[in-house]
């Protein structure tokens, strides 16, 4: 039950979690839906797959803009905020009670059940646009990593002075073809193995990056670093320095972004123990694990490259010796993003298909399923999801700007989805009185994060405008 105590921080733990026995049979849950079998371990894997993504590749660049100490403080700030609001959000999966209430299988449904239709519409705009931009960013990032694999082998075979440039568009098309096949996985519940493989790959390329950074430091010493990052001067104005810091804030925000699929991940958990209890454990394990890797990648990557840290720190080690290790690390990035793309895209697919079923209730194209070689097959799913992957690939060809896209994604999704809605839903469910200490504390957190999102958005938009000014569409080359 909810606590009625309004005046202190104890309200944060006032949503009790109790073990309970649920009605249902061997194949169905208490609400009549197909029985869910997920555990906190599988949810942790989904979280790691989603969080440890392409954002980790830009962290050393972020440290170069901010400096070592400010970079670490910023990482810890986002870690705390992400963990805090994720714990709050996990109690919104069932409403009005976090244990006995009705299931909300999507983030948008949780917002509608708790905050009403107006917030539901705003959440839909924020979540779906954020997810769409993320899939575009993943497509562009994968092409960069695929190009790095080719260049490593090319330089090894033809020498360091060979022209090993490669166009990104064919690589994006290859990625899209694979994603079209993977997108036929019907829902989150069938993604566990793909997510596990992707999580393993994310750990592998992060570990390789850390190892290469240590080797670089051992061989050449610590790069040129400073407490405030790249110093003003030598072509870098104070204004440009400020914009870069803003963009770096967006990059780090993106690195911790996963709240927009938290409810969908929680919907894979079995009913006993209560989903919110399992999700809080999964969130804590997932975010703390990711934060440890992020700190190591950011600190060691910055120490290795100093203020010259590149936007993608794996490509900063060159394409020469050990060429095979750099190539393998980038292959891990590709495999990871193949799985992460599906984790991100599933809420979009579910929304499009649910909307279509409600709009055209009698259409056989939408409602009919077929069995092909023992597998369930939907013609509408094939058409709908294939069209989406193709459209996102075209957009990635138009805007293949890695750092700018990462910053924009983080800026657009961080405050509304990772802070505002979780806090507002908790306040509503726990009935936190207005102007109480808990209410004020949460509103201050929300305001601070809103300001961070605004400055990050400004920096990323400026970076995109500058890149677009000198870029020719469909002509990206790595």
């Amino acid at each position: 039950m909810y606590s009625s105590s309004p005046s202190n921080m104890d309200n944060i733990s006032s949503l009790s979690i109790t073990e309970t026995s649920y009605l249902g049979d061997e194949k169905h849950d208490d609400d009549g839906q197909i029985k869910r079998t997920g555990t906190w371990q599988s949810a942790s894997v989904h979280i790691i797959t989603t969080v440890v993504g392409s954002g980790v590749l830009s962290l050393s660049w972020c440290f170069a803009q901010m400096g070592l100490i400010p970079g670490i403080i910023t990482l810890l700030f986002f870690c705390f905020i992400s963990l805090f609001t994720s714990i709050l959000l996990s109690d919104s999966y069932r409403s009005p009670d976090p244990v006995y209430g009705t299931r909300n299988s999507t983030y948008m449904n949780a917002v509608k059940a708790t905050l009403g239709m107006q917030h539901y519409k705003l959440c839909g705009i924020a979540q779906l646009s954020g997810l769409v931009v993320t899939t575009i960013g993943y497509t562009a990032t994968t092409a960069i990593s695929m190009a790095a694999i080719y260049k490593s082998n090319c330089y090894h075979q033809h020498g360091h002075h060979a022209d090993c440039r490669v166009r990104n568009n064919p690589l994006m098309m290859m990625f899209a073809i694979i994603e079209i096949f993977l997108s036929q996985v019907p829902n989150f519940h069938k993604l566990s193995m793909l997510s596990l493989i992707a999580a393993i790959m994310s750990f592998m390329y992060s570990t390789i990056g850390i190892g290469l950074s240590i080797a670089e430091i051992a061989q050449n010493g610590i790069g040129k670093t400073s407490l405030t990052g790249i110093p003003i001067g030598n072509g870098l104005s104070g204004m440009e320095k400020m914009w870069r810091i803003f963009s770096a804030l967006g990059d780090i925000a993106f690195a911790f972004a996963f709240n927009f699929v938290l409810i969908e991940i929680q919907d894979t958990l079995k009913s006993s123990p209560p989903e919110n209890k399992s999700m809080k454990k999964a969130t804590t394990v997932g975010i703390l694990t990711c934060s440890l890797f992020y700190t190591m990648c950011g600190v060691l990557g910055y120490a290795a490259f100093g203020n010259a840290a590149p936007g993608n720190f794996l490509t900063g080690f060159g394409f020469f010796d050990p060429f095979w290790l750099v190539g393998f690390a980038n292959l891990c990035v590709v495999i990871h993003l193949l799985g992460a793309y599906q984790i991100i895209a599933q809420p979009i697919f579910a929304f499009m298909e649910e909307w279509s079923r409600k709009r055209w209730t009698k259409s056989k194209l939408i409602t009919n399923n077929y069995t092909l070689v023992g597998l369930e097959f939907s013609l509408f799913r094939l058409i709908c999801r294939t069209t989406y992957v193709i459209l996102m690939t075209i957009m990635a060809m138009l805007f293949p700007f890695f750092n700018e896209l990462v910053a924009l994604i983080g800026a657009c999704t961080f405050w509304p989805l990772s802070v505002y809605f979780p806090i507002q839903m908790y306040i509503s469910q726990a009935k936190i009185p207005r102007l109480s200490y808990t209410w004020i504390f949460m509103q201050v957190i929300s305001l601070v994060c809103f300001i961070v999102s605004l400055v990050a958005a400004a920096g990323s938009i400026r970076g995109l405008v500058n890149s677009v000014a000198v870029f020719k569409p469909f002509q990206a080359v790595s």
Side-chain angles (χ1 to χ4, degrees):
M1 297 298 292
Y2 295 127
S3 168
S4 60
S5 174
S7 60
N8 56 55
M9 287 304 295
D10 290 340
N11 280 327
I12 293 178
S13 61
S14 64
L15 299 178
S16 66
I17 302 170
T18 58
E19 296 291 342
T20 182
S21 58
Y22 289 84
L23 297 176
D25 55 35
E26 293 182 357
K27 295 184 178 180
H28 298 87
D29 275 320
D30 56 300
D31 56 1
Q33 297 188 45
I34 299 298
K35 201 171 192 68
R36 296 164 176 82
T37 59
T39 63
W40 72 265
Q41 291 95 335
S42 65
S44 297
V45 170
H46 285 318
I47 291 170
I48 292 170
T49 300
T50 308
V51 179
V52 182
S54 54
V56 71
L57 303 177
S58 66
L59 289 178
S60 58
W61 179 86
C62 295
F63 274 53
Q65 312 314 310
M66 297 179 170
L68 182 62
I69 302 302
I72 293 176
I73 292 173
T74 304
L75 268 180
L76 293 177
F77 169 78
F78 280 101
C79 172
F80 166 76
I81 294 298
S82 182
L83 181 59
F84 177 74
T85 58
S86 296
I87 289 174
L88 298 183
L89 184 57
S90 65
D91 284 323
S92 298
Y93 173 64
R94 286 180 179 264
S95 59
D97 185 274
V99 175
Y100 301 103
T102 303
R103 291 178 185 271
N104 297 302
S105 59
T106 68
Y107 195 128
M108 292 170 60
N109 287 343
V111 170
K112 181 168 64 173
T114 307
L115 301 177
M117 183 58 71
Q118 193 64 33
H119 280 83
Y120 168 77
K121 293 178 181 178
L122 294 174
C123 176
I125 294 171
Q127 183 189 25
L128 294 176
S129 60
L131 293 172
V132 165
V133 177
T134 301
T135 55
I136 295 172
Y138 279 3
T139 303
T141 304
T142 304
I144 294 172
S145 294
M146 294 170 74
I149 297 171
Y150 168 80
K151 291 167 75 172
S152 293
N153 287 281
C154 176
Y155 284 125
H156 182 70
Q157 292 178 5
H158 303 290
H160 296 178
H161 302 290
D163 184 4
C164 292
R165 291 175 297 176
V166 57
R167 294 189 62 183
N168 288 357
N169 289 353
L171 302 177
M172 294 186 197
M173 293 178 188
M174 291 172 58
F175 177 76
I177 291 171
I178 300 173
E179 288 299 345
I180 287 172
F181 284 99
L182 293 178
S183 66
Q184 299 313 302
V185 176
N187 51 49
F188 254 116
H189 307 281
K190 306 294 184 181
L191 284 175
S192 295
M193 184 54 65
L194 181 61
S195 184
L196 177 61
I197 294 172
I200 293 172
M201 292 299 104
S202 67
F203 279 125
M204 291 188 71
Y205 70 72
S206 298
T207 302
I208 291 172
I210 291 170
L212 289 173
S213 296
I214 294 173
E216 179 76 15
I217 295 170
Q219 183 175 354
N220 300 314
I222 295 177
K224 187 177 181 181
T225 62
S226 64
L227 290 177
T228 57
I230 302 174
I232 297 173
N234 296 323
L236 180 66
S237 66
M239 183 64 68
E240 181 64 26
K241 168 82 171 178
M242 180 188 72
W243 287 118
R244 289 191 182 186
I245 291 175
F246 288 173
S247 184
L249 281 173
D251 281 13
I252 297 176
F254 172 74
F256 281 96
F258 89 101
N259 290 53
F260 45 57
V261 292
L262 185 145
I263 296 294
E264 285 79 357
I265 293 174
Q266 192 166 346
D267 191 49
T268 66
L269 295 173
K270 56 187 179 182
S271 300
S272 182
E275 299 93 348
N276 60 343
K277 180 177 182 180
S278 298
M279 196 63 192
K280 288 172 183 177
K281 183 183 293 186
T283 297
T284 302
V285 171
I287 291 179
L288 293 183
T289 301
C290 295
S291 298
L292 176 62
F293 270 82
Y294 280 179
T295 304
M296 294 175 68
C297 288
V299 171
L300 293 174
Y302 181 47
F305 297 110
N307 294 330
N312 181 337
F313 90 128
L314 281 181
T315 62
F317 296 104
F319 304 102
F320 314 130
D321 295 324
F323 82 98
W324 61 270
L325 187 58
V326 175
F328 178 70
N330 281 287
L331 176 62
C332 291
V333 174
V334 172
I335 297 173
H336 168 252
L337 291 181
L338 285 169
Y341 187 104
Q342 289 304 311
I343 297 291
I344 295 299
Q346 282 297 329
I348 303 173
F349 296 154
F351 175 81
M352 293 190 300
E353 291 161 14
E354 181 65 22
W355 181 87
S356 299
R357 281 192 293 268
K358 292 180 178 178
R359 179 67 176 81
W360 297 288
T361 57
K362 297 181 180 180
S363 173
K364 292 184 178 180
L365 173 65
I366 296 174
T367 59
N368 282 6
N369 290 326
Y370 307 93
T371 301
L372 183 65
V373 197
L375 300 175
E376 183 180 336
F377 174 78
S378 169
L379 183 58
F380 176 71
R381 182 193 302 148
L382 175 63
I383 296 172
C384 179
R385 298 187 180 192
T386 299
T387 301
Y388 176 84
V389 173
I390 292 173
L391 289 176
M392 294 307 102
T393 303
I394 293 172
M395 292 298 294
M397 291 177 183
L398 283 171
F399 304 106
F401 312 118
F402 177 74
N403 273 66
E404 293 85 354
L405 274 175
V406 166
L408 182 61
I409 294 166
C412 291
T413 61
F414 172 65
W415 178 72
L417 299 175
S418 297
V419 181
Y420 176 76
F421 287 119
I423 284 178
Q424 293 306 313
M425 284 192 284
Y426 175 80
I427 288 175
S428 176
Q429 281 192 291
K431 296 179 173 58
I432 304 296
R434 187 179 179 84
L435 299 181
S436 65
Y437 290 124
T438 301
W439 186 91
I440 293 172
F441 172 76
M442 292 188 171
Q443 298 302 336
V444 168
I445 289 178
S446 184
L447 177 61
V448 170
C449 293
F450 177 68
I451 294 171
V452 170
S453 287
L454 282 181
V455 298
S460 60
I461 291 172
R462 181 180 182 274
L464 276 174
V465 170
N466 290 342
S467 297
V468 169
V470 297
F471 174 72
K472 296 180 180 180
F474 301 102
Q475 299 297 320
V477 176
S478 290

